[in-house]
Amino acid sequence: MVKSSLVLVCFLAIFTSCCNSMPLSVQKRWIIDDATGERVKLHCTHWVVHAQPMLAEGLDKSPLNVIAANVAKAGFNCVRLSYATYMFTRHANNTVRDTFHSYDVPEMVTAIQKHNPSVLNMTHLQAYEAVVDALGAHGVMVLIDNHLSLPDWCCANDDQNGFFGDRHFNTSEWIQGLAIVAHHFKGKPNVFAMDLRNELRGSRQNWNVWYKYVSEGAKTIHEINPDLLIIISGLSFDNDLSYLKTRPLHLNIPNKIVYESHIYSFSGDTGRWHVQPANWVCNATIQTFNRQSGFLLSGKNPAPLFVSEFGYNMDGGNFADDSYWPCVVAHFTSVDLEWSLWAFQGSYYLRQGNVGPGESYGVMDFEWENYRDPNFTQKFQLLQRIIQDPNSKASKSHIIFHPSTGYCAHVNDKELVMGDCKSNSLWSFEGDGSPIRLMNSAMCLKAVGEGLPPTLSEDCLSAQSSWKAVSMSGLHLASFDKNGDLLCLEKDSNSTKLVTRKCICIENDDSSCLDSPLNQWFRLVPTNV
């Protein structure tokens, strides 16, 4: 009896701790805790529930409580938990067992029976709620994501699931679904937000229709549960919100609106990473992102931007993703964006007619036991930190960040090495042509020569201590050696040391330079924490 009581107390303590940050609100471009005014940074992952079986993936592999615990262990503070409208408007009272039987996948029923037997006799609404509660028990917040209407794999321009008025996007039923969810999950302490719809797309796309139904959907949620943040997507598969520059969305819903955007290596021109210099493509990718959605973070009326989908092939060996990832991560850290990674699941019950396929973009491996990418933890350390705090009175400094590996620079016995991003050395930098100075020190970074480590020196006025960002990507940090040769900072491929070497593919007019510059990509990330 004593043991049971202790377990209950611990459970309640964990659950309560997750919810002290509720509700959340918006303050200019930041998301804040209503109670304290402190920033809450969203670093989330997506967990699919919208596919045909209408059940959170992975319950055939591991107990629900274990999966929820692993989400928290991986450093995510929230989950973008998707659903299909029909789950709650047409199938809410169907049992999980009956739905799986209708798809004739008895092996999945047997596996779920082994790991999560109680789920099979739940309705879809009960099973979804069980996932929400399991995440809350481990201190994980939930964003409820309306991914599509007809349960299926997402997304295609012609799937009739993409825009208001499509065959599977009846606007009245969509509003009904939003209302059901907002009502049912009102009072759940870890549910902090709902989004209106994922990846609007297709031939029906129209700005005027967008403004009409986005306004109606947002008001429906807010009237039922005014505590929730409301996440609003743009057009063209969540890539484009640029029309807000000339016609803002006027809603009488103060401090609750967050916009979302998606960015993958295959967004836009899918083949460009293979045929153009990586510096060119990186520059074009970030310019397009800022033109279409990143502009929301600045200007007279900044707003929060949540990159609700991005990711990379965690099996490795994907040339485009290997270049795209450090490019976007360098940008995300430089502006300290809110984000959600696609995706947590390592496998699916049923995807596009295939039974039990894996997810190469999944954090977990096929058996949901280990990280698919063995370097996952390191790659995400800086992304998961609060780098900029709107309430901080601290002076601005910089982190020397290597986005390809996720390492940050440390000074170790006057030697510069790359290591863990849970901590790091801080640097001051006043812009191109300035020294990179170790904070609270007279020392600065000085280039010595080809293949040699830069030194920490008090000679901060020489050309060897003058650094600038070069190349179209802006991710090469370059200085001159004593002979006047331009050298770039590089992470040594065989150790944690930094060296300087001849810069790779930094000429802006050389379309034939396709060598990989990734070891030379660094970002001086501004921070005030």
Side-chain angles (χ1 to χ4, degrees):
M1 182 69 177
V2 173
K3 184 176 180 181
S4 298
S5 299
L6 181 60
V7 170
L8 178 61
V9 169
C10 292
F11 177 93
L12 292 174
I14 293 171
F15 191 81
T16 304
S17 70
C18 87
C19 310
N20 290 337
S21 295
M22 302 300 184
L24 306 181
S25 285
V26 166
Q27 185 180 83
K28 296 183 178 179
R29 64 148 289 190
W30 308 105
I31 295 171
I32 62 166
D33 177 345
D34 268 3
T36 66
E38 297 296 318
R39 182 187 175 193
V40 176
K41 178 179 177 178
L42 304 181
H43 41 96
C44 315
T45 188
H46 191 102
W47 192 354
V48 163
V49 195
H50 66 265
Q52 286 176 329
M54 297 179 284
L55 180 69
E57 304 291 348
L59 302 190
D60 60 323
K61 301 285 188 178
S62 184
L64 173 57
N65 182 60
V66 173
I67 297 175
N70 284 335
V71 171
K73 182 180 178 181
F76 299 109
N77 67 350
C78 59
V79 162
R80 183 174 180 245
L81 194 67
S82 56
Y83 75 97
T85 298
Y86 294 174
M87 282 173 59
F88 301 141
T89 59
R90 304 185 184 188
H91 304 297
N93 295 320
N94 294 359
T95 68
V96 171
R97 186 187 299 275
D98 287 344
T99 297
F100 272 90
H101 280 318
S102 72
Y103 287 111
D104 191 24
V105 282
E107 64 271 42
M108 292 298 170
V109 175
T110 300
I112 296 170
Q113 179 71 42
K114 175 183 177 181
H115 295 290
N116 294 280
S118 63
V119 168
L120 287 170
N121 294 323
M122 291 182 180
T123 66
H124 290 294
L125 185 56
Q126 290 169 337
Y128 192 91
E129 186 172 9
V131 174
V132 170
D133 289 345
L135 290 166
H138 291 279
V140 179
M141 301 182 292
V142 172
L143 155 62
I144 297 180
D145 160 48
N146 179 228
H147 215 69
L148 30 63
S149 294
L150 174 73
D152 206 345
W153 182 246
C154 180
C155 299
N157 266 314
D158 59 355
D159 62 7
Q160 288 297 308
N161 236 323
F163 199 71
F164 309 105
D166 279 358
R167 179 156 51 93
H168 293 299
F169 200 162
N170 177 279
T171 53
S172 296
E173 188 169 4
W174 170 69
I175 291 291
Q176 178 192 4
L178 294 178
I180 289 170
V181 172
H183 270 298
H184 190 85
F185 291 95
K186 185 176 183 179
K188 288 287 183 185
N190 62 317
V191 174
F192 75 97
M194 288 176 58
D195 77 3
L196 297 182
R197 187 70 168 202
N198 173 73
E199 294 198 354
L200 294 167
R201 60 197 179 275
S203 60
R204 291 179 182 271
Q205 290 185 98
N206 176 286
W207 291 358
N208 291 325
V209 174
W210 183 89
Y211 283 99
K212 171 181 170 60
Y213 287 111
V214 161
S215 298
E216 187 175 343
K219 289 174 183 176
T220 297
I221 293 171
H222 189 67
E223 287 172 2
I224 295 168
N225 189 346
D227 285 341
L228 293 178
L229 295 180
I230 299 170
I231 315 294
I232 295 176
S233 66
L235 301 177
S236 301
F237 293 84
D238 274 11
N239 286 317
D240 190 9
L241 287 157
S242 60
Y243 43 89
L244 292 174
K245 296 175 186 177
T246 55
R247 185 182 170 186
L249 180 62
H250 294 296
L251 293 170
N252 187 25
I253 304 177
N255 306 322
K256 292 295 181 180
I257 302 300
V258 176
Y259 295 97
E260 69 176 324
S261 181
H262 293 176
I263 181 170
Y264 289 101
S265 65
F266 46 81
S267 300
D269 183 355
T270 57
R272 58 187 176 172
W273 290 101
H274 294 273
V275 297
Q276 295 180 2
N279 287 307
W280 291 23
V281 185
C282 180
N283 175 60
T285 297
I286 301 307
Q287 284 195 359
T288 299
F289 174 79
N290 285 333
R291 183 173 64 251
Q292 293 185 330
S293 60
F295 69 90
L296 289 162
L297 297 172
S298 57
K300 293 182 179 179
N301 298 297
L305 178 64
F306 173 54
V307 179
S308 57
E309 282 189 31
F310 77 124
Y312 66 98
N313 188 322
M314 295 199 183
D315 285 332
N318 183 298
F319 182 84
D321 279 355
D322 288 347
S323 298
Y324 144 90
W325 180 254
C327 172
V328 297
V329 166
H331 182 67
F332 284 14
T333 54
S334 68
V335 294
D336 206 10
L337 273 172
E338 324 287 333
W339 52 267
S340 180
L341 177 74
W342 184 278
F344 195 73
Q345 63 271 359
S347 64
Y348 298 92
Y349 307 116
L350 188 67
R351 173 174 162 176
Q352 297 172 294
N354 297 315
V355 178
E359 171 57 273
S360 60
Y361 279 57
V363 171
M364 303 305 292
D365 64 13
F366 182 75
E367 296 299 335
W368 292 66
E369 293 177 350
N370 300 296
Y371 297 140
R372 186 176 293 268
D373 179 355
N375 298 314
F376 163 80
T377 300
Q378 181 59 55
K379 286 182 177 178
F380 282 81
Q381 278 182 349
L382 191 59
L383 277 169
Q384 291 177 336
R385 282 173 49 184
I386 288 181
I387 304 169
Q388 298 179 23
D389 180 357
N391 297 318
S392 174
K393 300 296 191 293
S395 300
K396 185 179 79 169
S397 57
H398 293 82
I399 300 165
I400 299 177
F401 177 55
H402 189 247
S404 183
T405 59
Y407 284 129
C408 293
H410 297 252
V411 174
N412 184 11
D413 292 331
K414 294 188 178 181
E415 186 177 54
L416 198 64
V417 296
M418 302 306 292
D420 205 305
C421 281
K422 288 182 178 179
S423 62
N424 51 264
S425 297
L426 294 175
W427 308 81
S428 66
F429 182 65
E430 301 302 324
D432 284 352
S434 302
I436 300 175
R437 297 179 182 270
L438 183 63
M439 289 290 286
N440 303 315
S441 165
M443 313 291 281
C444 63
L445 207 57
K446 183 177 180 180
V448 177
E450 171 71 20
L452 298 174
T455 62
L456 284 172
S457 169
E458 293 186 6
D459 176 19
C460 297
L461 299 179
S462 70
Q464 294 170 257
S465 301
S466 172
W467 296 84
K468 61 180 179 180
V470 296
S471 81
M472 291 182 70
S473 68
L475 294 177
H476 289 76
L477 291 175
S479 186
F480 295 94
D481 67 10
K482 60 185 177 181
N483 299 318
D485 295 323
L486 189 68
L487 298 175
C488 281
L489 203 61
E490 179 174 311
K491 184 198 170 292
D492 184 68
S493 58
N494 297 315
S495 71
T496 60
K497 291 184 178 181
L498 288 176
V499 296
T500 54
R501 297 190 193 277
K502 182 181 178 181
C503 301
I504 298 172
C505 295
I506 65 169
E507 300 300 329
N508 294 341
D509 58 354
D510 187 357
S511 63
S512 64
C513 190
L514 300 179
D515 294 337
S516 174
L518 301 188
N519 274 352
Q520 291 186 351
W521 275 5
F522 288 86
R523 175 68 85 194
L524 283 167
V525 176
T527 182
N528 64 352
V529 294

